[in-house]
Amino acid sequence: MANDKLQGPIRYGPIRYGMVGGGQGAFIGGVHRIAARMDGEFVLVAGALSSNPERAKASAEELGLDPARSYASYAEMAKAEAKRPDGIEAVSIVTPNNHHFPAAKAFLEAGIHVICDKPLATTLAEARKLAALVEKTGKLFVLTHNYTAYPMVRQAREMVERGLLGDIRLVQVEYPQDWLTEDVSAAGNKQASWRSDPKQAGAGGATGDIGTHAYNLARFVTGLELDSLAADLDSFVPGRLLDDNLNVLLRFRAKANAPPAKGMLWASQVAPGHENGLKLRVYGSKGGLEWVQADPNYLWYTPFGEPKRLLTRGGAGALASASRLTRVPAGHPEGYLEGFANIYREAAAAIRAARDGHKPPKDIVFPTVHDGVEGMAFIEACVRSSKKNGAWTKL
């Protein structure tokens, strides 16, 4: 049966939240709204859904928002909602990257918790300023690296923590796609246009869009910290201003008495035949793990010298960290939307604890502003390294 902890009674009613971005024509906003309402933990009551006033109004009408709480800008929304006795407790920021920093700053300063799509900002300097502001305000900051909330990813993380793989030696992670193989932005593809624009996306193209997902997943599962990298970034499509392919060698910091682990990361948006090919492989002195996002309910575990073992979500051998996020019986697929919903569920638990002036339970895990800072450091190090012909570069 599905885990009871995920279906228990909701204390104090649903969490009131607002959304910045995510209006008509947007992709990720709809994903966040589905995820937020999946467990009944959140209710959308306000929004600044588009920088275009007409689109913002029409989007709010489609979502059934009170016209008085459909705002022309995130700045107006933050000020107005902070003054309302029934104002939002959290905001979901689902805009292009260049709006993440100013929007998050406005809501943090207004005393409102932030749930933000990745990457955290467009520069490392902005990311560090946000981290300092989170520390100053004491507000929660949740970064939606949704792949960290798949049950079998949590299983892999706990297996590493328990030492079942021994000392980690090798980490290989890849994230190939093919949707930017041609210049689709020239044909008016909105998602491609802003992701290929340095003013909106920042310094990294594929590096910021999917490379940060791959990097975050590798660090989340292994617990390793990166020391340095050597990156080779390409823009294969003529005229494209940002990278669409990256190959990165990784050197992690040594842990305890073990030698430092090494790794490789490949991410591409010009790899025909790949839709969303995120894959992680981790090898240690005692065994190895392999997880593939396209088949997320399975985790391959190979103790050294023994046959490979297929671990399934909700099946025999499931650990507590995975079972807690399992929603439906074993054998029924769970995936992308549930991963996002698990992030929102973890965020809800933390917000409810904050309502009472408490810290969230120790088993509540979600990517934070500090993970966002790490992601921005990764992007900028990749860009610097590639400009120096792949020179080894410290974070």
Side-chain angles (χ1 to χ4, degrees):
M1 294 182 64
N3 191 288
D4 291 338
K5 290 184 179 179
L6 289 180
Q7 297 183 353
I10 299 171
R11 297 187 306 124
Y12 312 128
I15 295 164
R16 302 180 302 278
Y17 87 105
M19 180 167 281
V20 176
Q24 292 176 336
F27 158 66
I28 204 65
V31 171
H32 279 253
R33 288 191 293 270
I34 293 170
R37 67 174 180 260
M38 191 173 287
D39 295 297
E41 290 278 23
F42 291 85
V43 58
L44 182 66
V45 297
L49 301 172
S50 175
S51 57
N52 180 301
E54 293 182 0
R55 187 179 297 120
K57 180 180 179 181
S59 300
E61 289 178 354
E62 284 184 1
L63 296 174
L65 293 183
D66 179 349
R69 300 180 78 173
S70 174
Y71 299 95
S73 70
Y74 58 77
E76 178 189 352
M77 177 177 163
K79 290 179 181 179
E81 289 295 318
K83 293 178 181 178
R84 294 179 65 109
D86 62 345
I88 60 173
E89 299 170 83
V91 66
S92 179
I93 300 173
V94 292
T95 64
N97 304 346
N98 59 316
H99 295 298
H100 290 182
F101 171 73
K105 180 175 182 291
F107 285 96
L108 288 170
E109 290 176 340
I112 295 168
H113 303 298
V114 173
I115 302 169
C116 185
D117 206 42
K118 60 80 219 160
L120 181 59
T122 56
T123 68
L124 180 56
E126 287 181 345
R128 287 173 172 162
K129 287 179 182 178
L130 276 184
L133 188 55
V134 170
E135 186 72 23
K136 179 181 178 181
T137 62
K139 294 290 120 178
L140 292 166
F141 195 105
V142 180
L143 193 67
T144 55
H145 277 297
N146 63 304
Y147 301 112
T148 64
Y150 281 65
M152 299 316 286
V153 168
R154 297 292 176 95
Q155 172 93 10
R157 174 186 169 100
E158 186 174 346
M159 291 175 71
V160 171
E161 289 177 342
R162 289 190 179 194
L164 295 181
L165 271 65
D167 296 327
I168 302 304
R169 294 172 171 173
L170 301 171
V171 182
Q172 294 191 332
V173 60
E174 63 182 57
Y175 199 157
Q177 300 175 334
D178 68 2
W179 72 291
L180 293 182
T181 298
E182 296 180 339
D183 186 10
V184 293
S185 60
N189 185 304
K190 178 181 177 180
Q191 299 300 320
S193 295
W194 75 257
R195 284 176 168 82
S196 301
D197 179 4
K199 293 181 180 179
Q200 297 184 76
T207 305
D209 194 22
I210 57 176
T212 50
H213 267 314
Y215 173 63
N216 176 263
L217 180 65
R219 287 198 65 243
F220 181 81
V221 169
T222 65
L224 296 172
E225 295 182 359
L226 191 63
D227 176 75
S228 56
L229 57 79
D232 187 17
L233 276 56
D234 293 289
S235 300
F236 281 111
V237 174
R240 182 165 287 158
L241 300 178
L242 292 175
D243 61 274
D244 49 29
N245 187 87
L246 58 146
N247 293 279
V248 189
L249 293 176
L250 308 168
R251 290 176 178 169
F252 295 97
R253 295 174 186 166
K255 296 185 69 174
N257 296 321
K262 304 293 180 68
M264 293 185 291
L265 184 154
W266 170 52
S268 181
Q269 293 175 317
V270 292
H274 289 282
E275 295 175 335
N276 214 60
L278 179 59
K279 177 188 292 186
L280 175 68
R281 288 174 287 181
V282 182
Y283 304 102
S285 57
K286 295 181 180 179
L289 292 175
E290 181 175 341
W291 180 78
V292 180
Q293 194 274 155
D295 207 4
N297 294 281
Y298 302 103
L299 176 68
W300 285 103
Y301 167 47
T302 308
F304 177 66
E306 299 181 23
K308 294 180 70 171
R309 302 174 185 176
L310 180 61
L311 305 178
T312 63
R313 183 199 51 76
L319 299 177
S321 57
S323 297
R324 194 176 63 79
L325 296 187
T326 294
R327 295 166 173 275
V328 299
H332 296 270
E334 285 188 24
Y336 184 73
L337 289 173
E338 290 87 353
F340 266 104
N342 284 337
I343 292 287
Y344 270 88
R345 183 72 185 198
E346 302 282 70
I351 292 170
R352 292 187 188 286
R355 281 176 172 178
D356 297 333
H358 300 148
K359 292 184 178 180
K362 290 183 179 180
D363 60 351
I364 298 299
V365 178
F366 53 81
T368 69
V369 69
H370 301 294
D371 295 287
V373 172
E374 281 286 334
M376 291 309 306
F378 169 77
I379 294 170
E380 294 201 359
C382 284
V383 172
R384 292 199 312 272
S385 173
S386 188
K387 286 181 177 179
K388 296 178 181 179
N389 199 32
W392 282 102
T393 303
K394 292 277 189 178
L395 256 66

